Amino acid sequence: VQLVESGGGLVQAGDSLRLSCAASGEIAMIYTMGWFRQAPGKEREGVSSISKNGLATYADSVKGRFIISRDNAKNMVYLQMTSLKPEDTAMYYCAAALSMPGAWPIGLDGEYDYWGQGTQVTVSS
């Protein structure tokens, strides 16, 4: 499975961005797709996940502002981010898990089997 993220950029606080993740390879094996982020000097954290049957989960810090969606026909996963804040600044990674992650709500990054290279999101104040 290969994952390629796109859509990052430099925006101002309050703006919106949509991240995209294109999956290729053994797509049928994927159960859950997730978005993680890592800010400089901080640990990687889960942002959102979506299962193959559409169950979406969110970190408390993004709930109500971010929406994850999945287009199985196009092998794409999206993260629509609105009302962006400077604290959302991070490298955002797309990840794929072959089974349902056990840790609620996103799963631990060790529960994901495949990762993209990341796309940078920078939010200026």
Side-chain angles (χ1 to χ4, degrees), residues 45-97:
E45 62 174 354
V47 175
S48 182
S49 72
I50 186 165
S51 69
K52 65 188 310 179
N53 56 9
L55 174 65
T57 63
Y58 300 92
D60 287 343
S61 59
V62 306
K63 206 171 290 184
R65 299 189 298 122
F66 291 9
I67 297 175
I68 191 170
S69 60
R70 181 171 180 168
D71 187 334
N72 290 331
K74 295 183 178 179
N75 298 328
M76 297 290 295
V77 176
Y78 306 98
L79 186 68
Q80 180 67 48
M81 306 186 295
T82 62
S83 301
L84 282 162
K85 305 174 181 180
E87 51 263 44
D88 293 319
T89 295
M91 184 71 77
Y92 282 72
Y93 297 92
C94 176

Side-chain angles (χ1 to χ4, degrees), residues 21-34:
C21 174
S24 60
E26 298 291 332
I27 307 301
M29 299 168 55
I30 298 174
Y31 187 89
T32 297
M33 296 292 296

Side-chain angles (χ1 to χ4, degrees), residues 2-5 21-22 44 92-96 114-119:
Q2 295 79 44
L3 304 173
V4 179
E5 305 95 333
C21 174
R44 188 160 55 187
Y92 282 72
Y93 297 92
C94 176
Y114 300 96
W115 293 83
Q117 294 300 306
T119 186

Side-chain angles (χ1 to χ4, degrees), residues 88-110:
D88 293 319
T89 295
M91 184 71 77
Y92 282 72
Y93 297 92
C94 176
L98 303 182
S99 59
M100 178 183 287
W104 181 261
I106 314 294
L108 301 175
D109 53 6

